[in-house]
Amino acid sequence: VSDQVLLTTTVGSFGKPDYLQKARNANARGKLGETELTELERKATEEWIRRQERLDIDILVDGEMYRGDMVAYFAERLDGFRLGGLVRSYGNRYYHKPIIASKVSRPKPMTVDWFRFSQALTDRPVKGMLTGPYTMLDWSYNEAYKTRRDAALALAEVVRQEAEDLQAAGARYIQIDEPAIHARPEEIDIAIEAMGVVTQNLDAKTVSHICYGDFAAIYPKVLELPVDQLDLAMANYGYRWLELFNKDPFTKELAIGIVDVHRHDTESVATAAEGIRKGLRYVSKERLLPHPDCGLKTRSIEESEEKCRVVVEATKVVRKELAQAATPA
Amino acid sequence: MKTTVTGAYPKISDENQELRRALHRHDRGELDAGGLSGVLDESTRWAIGELNWAGIDVINDGQVRWDDLLAPFAGAWSGCDRGPLERFYDNNTYFRQPVITGPITTEGTTLVRDFEFARGVARGELKAAVCGPLTFATLVAEDHHYKSLEDRTLAVADAIAKEIRGLGAAGATLVDVEEPALVAHPEHFALARAAVERLAAAGVPLALQTYFFPADPLLDALAAFPVAQVGVDVRSRDTHALERLNALRQTIVLGIVDARNTRVETEGELVKLIEAALRQIPADYLWLAPTTGLEYLPHDVAVQKLKALVAAAHAAGGVKA
């Protein structure tokens, strides 16, 4: 992997197989035990590791077969949180929005066993996947802390513990997602400060995924977020965020979204390849990582695979062009 | 001092998920449009019943049929479609951005049927609501027709004004204009005012509801808006609006119960806010409300917030005007 350019990756989640969805529902109704559910989650995780290898993705994820929601998963495992009643997110979709009810602490690691399990299945690097402190705060109700900064910094401390445990377990990439970072652009200093707490002792490559919102409102300030790589949805936004880089050059590695994830159909390889070429105008091939715009958990397994296939095929097309251009005539 | 609510009420509770199930069945083709409409009416009846039962003086219909603030309009108007999902301001709640395909036109009867239904169900005073023109216009994903934000905002205002006329003809005596964009983008206040002037020409008293963001930079400007009421959040964000309420000329709908946080306010906290407001303005010019729509809370907490609001209003001496 090391000397390859345009390393491919994904944002984190994949569609769950039917047998797992059914098992999760049965578990929620008390009709299936934790041990049985975990076994099926492991089976689904292994299937996704194999699919990613077959698709020839360079940097893998565990697919988050054991998670429903990226904040609730952690809230359920941290002391200080309780899950509130149902709240609508859009249309007919509801979720249990977490409540920070008292001071937050981490009784034990939350994702490390899953990381170990999935990394042991493959020689390719698997990313450790965490939700960032600012997003944890913004997507919860805060009853416990006087200010949002206080809450974000307390959450940063537990995310730091988890990130350092992932690194100790061998994670070479640790992704700390902050999709809510632009919810209140005036608070970006809080998000930056909190991320600084998380990544201060990490040597692993650090990544943060940002999506859905006005990226322009936080650019170029977001370049101060202390991570090595930003992971951005671009296809869904017609690559318009790239234009911001004309005025203020992008200074990090860029994981660039080249297929929209909120459609059943997928862009052609040619269209996706054009997205990579657009990215190459601003970021070198060593620092540009093609991937789908966002997590694929709302897509079926077949749709998830197809989107990844297009990403990898498009990347190979552009790699070939780059190799040809580099060969003296 | 009257109590009121703004925006949407929770559509379901953990115990009552009938509407959620009906929408799933409708998606799967197991429930036809008529069947779904019946469940929507029942859910509206439920929401109105809860608002009445809580003792809110002036209620709305809970906006049970509204997928988001823009949906009823973007869905019904010619020249407009519902487009891609986007985050609704600083909420982890999403809406469909309108896509403008041609000149916006409406018969002006989009909300009439639902208002008449609600009036048949509600006890006491009922108000209607529309999306603010600046909010609608600034949240558009693509505009293939209007040349500028100004043109688009005023065209939306004309369509909304027509809806307000329709509501007035159906008997509405007060219409909330939900305009978070005004406080999100204070730089557009002159445009927002020009748009609201067109709404006011419809001849129905309006309540301009601002929320999500502090109204501080706009208090003086808001005084010049031709509306009967102005909604101001004095609770959920850092704001000094409470100390400057006398800048306004209209009745103030004071957002004192935080509709975006589950911690339920104590009576003491709320009474203190009310008393601070009463040092600025007479009780006749003060209404009390949650800071925004209660749908941002789980249903059980929304109910507790309504109780806290009503109890505080009574404690502060506002027992039924």
Side-chain angles (χ1 to χ4, degrees):
Chain A
V1 167
S2 58
D3 56 350
Q4 183 63 275
V5 297
L6 297 175
L7 294 176
T8 53
T9 188
T10 63
V11 174
S13 64
F14 287 122
K16 294 185 177 72
D18 277 348
Y19 67 78
L20 180 57
Q21 203 52 59
K22 280 182 188 136
R24 286 170 63 84
N25 294 343
N27 176 262
R29 290 195 308 270
K31 301 231 167 90
L32 183 81
E34 289 300 324
T35 317
E36 290 82 1
L37 178 63
T38 304
E39 200 149 303
L40 294 174
E41 288 167 347
R42 285 175 171 233
K43 175 171 143 71
T45 303
E46 178 159 10
E47 287 166 4
W48 264 118
I49 294 287
R50 298 293 165 243
R51 278 190 203 103
Q52 291 174 85
E53 288 178 333
R54 270 202 309 278
L55 287 159
D56 201 17
I57 295 171
D58 298 306
I59 303 167
L60 311 193
V61 295
D62 68 18
E64 301 176 13
M65 294 296 110
Y66 50 91
R67 286 188 207 178
D69 174 271
M70 63 182 287
V71 173
Y73 176 80
F74 294 100
E76 285 168 11
R77 283 159 183 79
L78 289 167
D79 287 345
F81 275 93
R82 66 186 154 86
L83 283 190
L86 288 167
V87 179
R88 199 164 66 99
S89 69
Y90 68 93
N92 198 29
R93 281 181 184 257
Y94 290 81
Y95 69 113
H96 289 279
K97 185 167 173 177
I99 298 169
I100 308 170
S102 58
K103 300 281 183 254
V104 171
S105 63
R106 187 190 72 143
K108 57 179 188 188
M110 303 175 282
T111 61
V112 176
D113 286 348
W114 279 112
F115 169 75
R116 282 209 183 91
F117 173 77
S118 49
Q119 184 64 81
L121 295 169
T122 179
D123 294 331
R124 300 184 186 214
V126 177
K127 293 194 271 192
M129 301 296 290
L130 302 173
T131 302
Y134 185 80
T135 296
M136 294 273 290
L137 160 69
D138 196 66
W139 291 1
S140 305
Y141 300 109
N142 170 28
E143 296 189 9
Y145 293 91
K146 200 162 173 356
T147 66
R148 284 166 62 88
R149 178 173 172 270
D150 290 350
L153 292 179
L155 288 161
E157 179 54 28
V158 295
V159 180
R160 179 190 68 76
Q161 293 165 12
E162 186 72 15
E164 290 177 7
D165 284 348
L166 281 168
Q167 176 167 281
R172 283 170 278 171
Y173 292 83
I174 299 178
Q175 185 169 318
I176 307 124
D177 291 338
E178 287 288 19
I181 195 167
H182 33 31
R184 297 186 181 187
E186 72 277 15
E187 288 185 346
I188 188 154
D189 284 327
I190 297 176
I192 290 169
E193 185 183 6
M195 186 64 86
V197 172
V198 176
T199 59
Q200 58 185 328
N201 303 320
L202 296 180
D203 301 315
K205 178 92 72 183
T206 51
V207 184
S208 189
H209 172 65
I210 295 172
C211 65
Y212 273 125
D214 187 5
F215 184 72
I218 55 166
Y219 195 82
K221 182 77 182 173
V222 71
L223 294 173
E224 293 173 28
L225 194 72
V227 292
D228 302 311
Q229 184 184 113
L230 288 184
D231 178 322
L232 304 176
M234 285 282 184
N236 179 45
Y237 292 97
Y239 297 89
R240 67 174 182 257
W241 308 135
L242 287 173
E243 289 159 26
L244 299 168
F245 306 165
N246 286 323
K247 182 159 172 282
D248 298 288
F250 192 79
T251 53
K252 296 183 185 295
E253 292 186 6
L254 175 63
I256 183 170
I258 58 168
V259 294
D260 188 357
V261 302
H262 294 285
R263 302 167 21 178
H264 294 293
D265 59 331
T266 301
E267 292 85 343
S268 66
V269 169
T271 303
E274 194 48 37
I276 300 173
R277 291 184 202 107
K278 284 178 183 148
L280 283 170
R281 288 183 213 145
Y282 299 91
V283 180
S284 72
K285 58 187 187 291
E286 291 80 13
R287 294 164 67 81
L288 189 70
L289 297 89
H291 70 71
D293 264 354
C294 195
L296 289 160
K297 73 174 183 184
T298 60
R299 299 276 69 91
S300 69
I301 289 178
E302 294 70 26
E303 289 167 350
S304 298
E305 277 191 293
E306 175 60 9
K307 288 183 189 283
C308 292
R309 185 192 68 77
V310 168
V311 167
V312 173
E313 290 303 312
T315 302
K316 288 180 176 171
V317 167
V318 179
R319 277 180 191 153
K320 206 166 162 192
E321 289 167 8
L322 291 169
Q324 280 166 353
T327 310
Chain B
M1 280 191 295
K2 289 183 180 180
T3 52
T4 191
V5 290
T6 305
Y9 191 71
K11 298 182 198 328
I12 64 165
S13 68
D14 282 34
E15 298 76 34
N16 173 13
Q17 298 192 38
E18 203 190 332
L19 177 58
R20 190 186 188 187
R21 282 193 293 272
L23 284 163
H24 277 307
R25 290 200 339 263
H26 180 68
D27 282 348
R28 290 199 300 265
E30 296 162 17
L31 183 70
D32 64 15
L36 178 62
S37 190
V39 178
L40 284 162
D41 278 349
E42 269 319 296
S43 298
T44 300
R45 209 184 280 277
W46 172 76
I48 288 174
E50 295 216 337
L51 293 166
N52 276 152
W53 182 81
I56 300 296
D57 298 313
V58 182
I59 68 162
N60 65 10
D61 71 355
Q63 300 177 354
V64 171
R65 286 176 177 266
W66 295 26
D67 215 25
D68 55 60
L69 177 61
L70 294 73
F73 311 99
W77 292 345
S78 302
C80 190
D81 294 327
R82 297 186 68 208
L85 280 178
E86 182 55 281
R87 195 190 307 276
F88 193 54
Y89 295 100
D90 55 342
N91 301 286
N92 190 21
T93 302
Y94 299 75
F95 73 105
R96 293 218 169 265
Q97 297 169 279
V99 173
I100 310 278
T101 54
I104 290 175
T105 56
T106 174
E107 295 295 309
T109 54
T110 302
L111 302 172
V112 168
R113 184 262 165 208
D114 294 348
F115 181 75
E116 287 174 341
F117 175 81
R119 206 181 40 189
V121 175
R123 286 185 279 117
E125 290 181 65
L126 174 78
K127 62 179 177 179
V130 294
C131 178
L134 184 68
T135 298
F136 192 99
T138 49
L139 296 180
V140 161
E142 293 166 41
D143 186 342
H144 302 289
H145 183 74
Y146 299 103
K147 298 284 174 273
S148 66
L149 174 65
E150 187 171 13
D151 288 355
R152 179 162 73 240
T153 304
L154 295 176
V156 169
D158 288 338
I160 300 264
K162 220 166 166 189
E163 304 293 1
I164 293 173
R165 275 191 197 93
L167 286 164
T173 53
L174 180 63
V175 179
D176 277 347
V177 179
E178 297 192 33
E179 194 68 298
L182 179 54
V183 274
H185 307 289
E187 69 275 16
H188 293 315
F189 84 90
L191 176 57
R193 194 178 66 193
V196 170
E197 278 164 5
R198 296 192 182 199
L199 308 191
V204 183
L206 303 177
L208 182 67
Q209 304 291 358
T210 69
Y211 48 72
F212 298 153
F213 304 93
D216 300 45
L218 281 172
L219 287 172
D220 296 309
L222 282 168
F225 278 66
V227 293
Q229 305 187 346
V230 175
V232 179
D233 172 357
V234 294
R235 173 75 180 80
S236 76
R237 298 294 282 259
D238 284 336
T239 166
H240 296 283
L242 191 58
E243 296 141 38
R244 298 202 41 237
L245 293 177
N246 58 5
L248 292 163
R249 302 270 175 274
Q250 305 91 338
T251 291
I252 294 172
V253 181
L254 199 67
I256 56 171
V257 168
D258 190 347
R260 295 199 291 169
N261 195 299
T262 44
R263 194 179 75 74
V264 179
E265 290 80 359
T266 64
E267 191 173 298
E269 275 175 292
L270 296 177
V271 167
K272 242 166 105 177
L273 292 174
I274 298 168
E275 285 172 354
L278 288 173
R279 284 194 285 276
Q280 300 276 321
I281 53 170
D284 290 352
Y285 284 83
L286 183 63
W287 286 24
L288 305 169
T291 52
T292 181
L294 288 165
E295 206 193 357
Y296 297 102
L297 292 170
H299 171 264
D300 57 335
V301 181
V303 170
Q304 293 174 53
K305 293 271 181 175
L306 288 176
K307 281 186 188 157
L309 176 68
V310 171
H314 287 197
V319 185
K320 306 274 179 187

